Amino acid sequence: SIHMISDNMRFDHLGVVVPDLQIGRNHFSKIYGINSWTDEFFDELNGVYVQFGQSKDKFCYELIAPIDNKSPVYNVLSKKKNILNHIAYIVDAIDVCSEELLSNKFVPLGKPNKAVAYSLQRVQFFYSKEFGYILELIEAPNFYHNYNPQTPT
């Protein structure tokens, strides 16, 4: 039987770039009714602040804000391009998936890096040359986001 990369992939989130986490939270709460949020994460390793929000139908958005003008998402904001930034899947092993992605016209965007929001498990970003979008793989098979109980705003 053909081994499919998707057999070992679990959808995690859609990453969206925002100017600042609070501004992003206000917008996503107001427009999409999202009021279950994780804590905010300060990820110096990746130059971003991140926070995850879950909608009532269990869809997860990651809000990503630049720490400073050297942040990898800083230009995204100034150009208003790739605001809907990436889709992310949790996998058992990045290296195993990576091979299949490379043979399907994906290119790695840098090496795997530890991510604060995933207890320092490895993540890696890939760009689909064929379709022009970014995929994030998260090497954390047993990971689930910890949403705080709904707080009235």
Side-chain angles (χ1 to χ4, degrees):
S1 70
I2 298 169
H3 169 77
M4 299 287 291
I5 183 175
S6 56
D7 294 347
N8 295 311
M9 294 173 77
R10 168 162 65 85
F11 179 78
D12 190 68
H13 66 264
L14 172 66
V16 183
V17 180
V18 296
D20 151 283
L21 291 182
Q22 189 175 2
I23 291 171
R25 254 195 334 271
N26 291 346
H27 175 81
F28 276 78
S29 298
K30 190 165 79 183
I31 304 295
Y32 304 107
I34 295 174
N35 41 29
S36 294
W37 296 95
T38 64
D39 290 341
E40 298 184 0
F41 295 94
F42 172 60
D43 190 340
E44 226 171 346
L45 301 170
N46 295 293
V48 290
Y49 296 101
V50 302
Q51 186 170 27
F52 300 84
Q54 192 182 53
S55 65
K56 50 187 178 297
D57 49 9
K58 302 284 185 273
F59 189 83
C60 176
Y61 294 91
E62 176 190 33
L63 303 184
I64 311 150
I67 285 176
D68 56 30
N69 59 9
K70 290 185 277 301
S71 166
V73 297
Y74 183 77
N75 286 338
V76 170
L77 282 174
S78 55
K79 294 181 182 142
K80 286 262 199 300
K81 198 170 186 295
N82 289 337
I83 293 289
L84 289 179
N85 190 258
H86 64 269
I87 52 175
Y89 278 82
I90 288 188
V91 297
D92 295 335
I94 288 174
D95 302 340
V96 176
C97 299
S98 171
E99 238 167 86
E100 194 161 343
L101 290 177
L102 297 181
S103 67
N104 282 282
K105 302 192 176 83
F106 281 84
V107 289
L109 301 174
K111 294 184 164 51
N113 210 358
K114 292 178 172 168
V116 172
Y118 291 92
S119 314
L120 297 179
Q121 299 297 321
R122 296 193 317 156
V123 304
Q124 188 173 15
F125 292 88
F126 295 85
Y127 177 74
S128 166
K129 289 192 292 187
E130 191 177 3
F131 293 98
Y133 73 90
I134 298 170
L135 167 66
E136 177 184 17
L137 295 185
I138 303 152
E139 195 172 73
N142 303 314
F143 185 91
Y144 290 88
H145 294 286
N146 186 14
Y147 299 100
N148 298 310
Q150 180 178 331
T151 40
T153 38

